[in-house]
Amino acid sequence: MAALEREVAAYNRLLPTLLPQLGKYALIKNDDVVDTFDSYQDAVKRGYADFKLEPFLVKQIAPAEQVAFFTRDLVPCQA
């Protein structure tokens, strides 16, 4: 399993129970939500304090993914 796949799957599975905390940040390790936070910085700080350099996920709780920036600037190949 690729890095953080387990955490992303846990977030998606637990999203319905997390939605009442819309806008907060969830700290996820393996299959569990460790806690939720008002700021991204607080969640990351707790993640590093608890898990050091082990992978963990911090994700803002939202009903759908928002695309922050998307571009597709394709130019035909010149042969």
Side-chain angles (χ1 to χ4, degrees):
M1 190 174 276
L4 300 180
E5 276 187 28
R6 187 175 182 180
E7 285 80 1
V8 170
Y11 171 82
N12 290 329
R13 185 183 73 252
L14 298 169
L15 183 58
T17 62
L18 291 170
L19 281 177
Q21 299 184 67
L22 183 68
K24 290 192 173 193
Y25 294 84
L27 170 60
I28 303 169
K29 176 69 175 160
N30 297 326
D31 294 316
D32 301 311
V33 174
V34 176
D35 205 348
T36 59
F37 301 84
D38 291 326
S39 75
Y40 176 81
Q41 291 81 4
D42 289 342
V44 169
K45 185 185 292 186
R46 170 78 181 275
Y48 281 120
D50 287 3
F51 307 117
K52 310 293 185 240
L53 296 178
E54 294 178 24
F56 61 86
L57 176 68
V58 173
K59 188 152 177 62
Q60 188 170 29
I61 300 167
E65 293 288 326
Q66 286 188 332
V67 175
F69 180 77
F70 181 81
T71 183
R72 189 172 185 148
D73 189 14
L74 299 178
V75 179
C77 293
Q78 301 295 320

